[in-house]
Amino acid sequence: MQDNASERVKIAIDQSGYSFVELQKRTGIPQATIQRYAVGKTTKIPTDAIKKIAKATNVSPAYLFDICDDPHYYPDSNKKKNSIPLYSSLCCGKGLFINDNIEDYIAVPDRYINSNKEYFANIAKGDSMIGKGINDGDTLIFEKTNILESGQIGSFCINDGNDCVCKIFRKLNNGIIVLESANQKYDPIIIDVTNECFRVIGKLVCKFSSVE
């Protein structure tokens, strides 16, 4: 089990995206020791060190100890740590999040999110936002909010549909709201603010590409 644990620690360090210097700050483990773990030179890793690395790399301690095969499994929780719901659709007319529409939970590295805020995910559809690097099939992570600044990318509910749209938010000096695509093939959407079916649902905080 120890050999498997050391291999999983090696993978966790590699996939965390953190430098050895940053991991030293997060764990208190000397940089030289972390480097030995990262290249597999040390196979007997102390239990306390494994726990610290698990916390620093946002990986389940049970996974690193080779107790389970899910790197985001936490026995005291009914969902993954730092996971957010992936919605198939929203109740656009009222701007509500419906639990029945949750397709899955997405584990997101803690460097992208704030524990004091709420988030949700949608899958990008189509090519209307390719100019912003958003491609069909990408996973989009939004912070739940109904306030956006002009120029920010957000998630919006319009009309009576059950799908949300991802667009660039613009608020003109005359108060008119415009939702812009990042593709010249698509005309901007002019919003009548008297239309109570329009809702700002969230602000884009990051995306994960569907293309390897």
Side-chain angles (χ1 to χ4, degrees):
M1 180 180 294
Q2 181 63 41
D3 288 343
N4 287 341
S6 63
E7 180 62 24
R8 289 187 173 192
V9 167
K10 177 182 175 181
I11 293 172
I13 291 173
D14 179 61
Q15 294 184 347
S16 71
Y18 295 125
S19 66
F20 295 141
V21 173
E22 179 63 24
L23 285 173
Q24 177 180 325
K25 293 178 182 178
R26 288 172 172 264
T27 63
I29 300 172
Q31 182 179 336
T33 301
I34 294 175
Q35 287 177 304
R36 288 199 298 272
Y37 296 162
V39 297
K41 286 186 177 180
T42 302
T43 58
K44 303 295 183 181
I45 304 176
T47 298
D48 185 55
I50 292 178
K51 290 180 179 178
K52 290 178 179 178
I53 291 171
K55 182 178 180 180
T57 59
N58 194 33
V59 172
S60 165
Y63 172 78
L64 293 189
F65 282 116
D66 197 24
I67 297 173
C68 72
D69 292 326
D70 185 349
H72 298 289
Y73 171 72
Y74 291 81
D76 295 330
S77 174
N78 60 3
K79 64 178 182 178
K80 297 175 181 180
K81 184 182 178 184
N82 282 354
S83 65
I84 62 175
L86 170 67
Y87 285 92
S88 58
S89 61
L90 306 175
C91 182
C92 294
K94 297 181 179 179
L96 298 178
F97 294 85
I98 308 299
N99 289 340
D100 289 345
N101 292 341
I102 296 176
E103 289 188 348
D104 201 351
Y105 283 92
I106 305 296
V108 179
D110 57 3
R111 61 182 176 272
Y112 293 116
I113 60 178
N114 184 326
S115 60
N116 296 320
K117 296 180 179 180
E118 292 186 81
Y119 300 85
F120 68 96
N122 279 139
I123 302 298
K125 298 177 182 178
D127 61 355
S128 68
M129 294 296 290
I130 58 174
K132 291 294 185 179
I134 298 174
N135 298 296
D136 184 56
D138 287 353
T139 301
L140 309 180
I141 310 300
F142 296 91
E143 174 194 330
K144 287 185 182 181
T145 181
N146 59 4
I147 300 175
L148 288 179
E149 295 181 5
S150 186
Q152 290 183 321
I153 298 174
S155 177
F156 309 91
C157 283
I158 54 177
N159 301 321
D160 294 321
N162 288 322
D163 293 326
C164 60
V165 296
C166 176
K167 300 292 180 184
I168 303 167
F169 178 81
R170 302 286 184 192
K171 188 170 184 178
L172 307 182
N173 292 334
N174 58 7
I176 292 177
I177 293 174
V178 179
L179 303 182
E180 296 179 351
S181 296
N183 186 333
Q184 293 183 351
K185 292 196 306 183
Y186 301 94
D187 294 329
I189 301 172
I190 309 301
I191 299 298
D192 178 0
V193 293
T194 63
N195 180 356
E196 62 180 16
C197 291
F198 171 72
R199 295 288 187 276
V200 177
I201 303 298
K203 175 178 66 177
L204 183 70
V205 295
C206 65
K207 75 174 184 71
F208 297 100
S209 176
S210 61
V211 180
E212 298 295 335

